[in-house]
Amino acid sequence: MDRHEIEGYEVLDRDVRPVGNGAHVLVPKRWIGADVKVVRVSQPNADSDE
């Protein structure tokens, strides 16, 4: 696992959910228009759809 240091305003711990042929993470509406970084911190489950 790599280590990354990011300065920011807020941190959320969320699950990635399947949507169509992809996936998404919901964030608060107040984040609309903000720059956001997503960091995967675990391996995907073997039984998840890719």
Side-chain angles (χ1 to χ4, degrees):
M1 187 181 306
D2 292 334
R3 180 176 175 82
H4 302 275
E5 186 172 322
I6 301 171
E7 291 187 18
Y9 295 94
E10 250 178 300
V11 174
L12 296 177
D13 186 1
R14 299 287 168 94
D15 292 327
V16 178
R17 303 287 182 193
V19 174
N21 290 331
H24 72 208
V25 177
L26 291 176
V27 297
K29 206 172 208 179
R30 67 181 183 277
W31 286 21
I32 292 173
D35 291 331
V36 175
K37 297 181 184 335
V38 176
V39 178
R40 183 172 54 87
V41 296
S42 68
Q43 294 293 329
N45 294 335
D47 60 348
S48 67
D49 294 333
E50 294 187 45

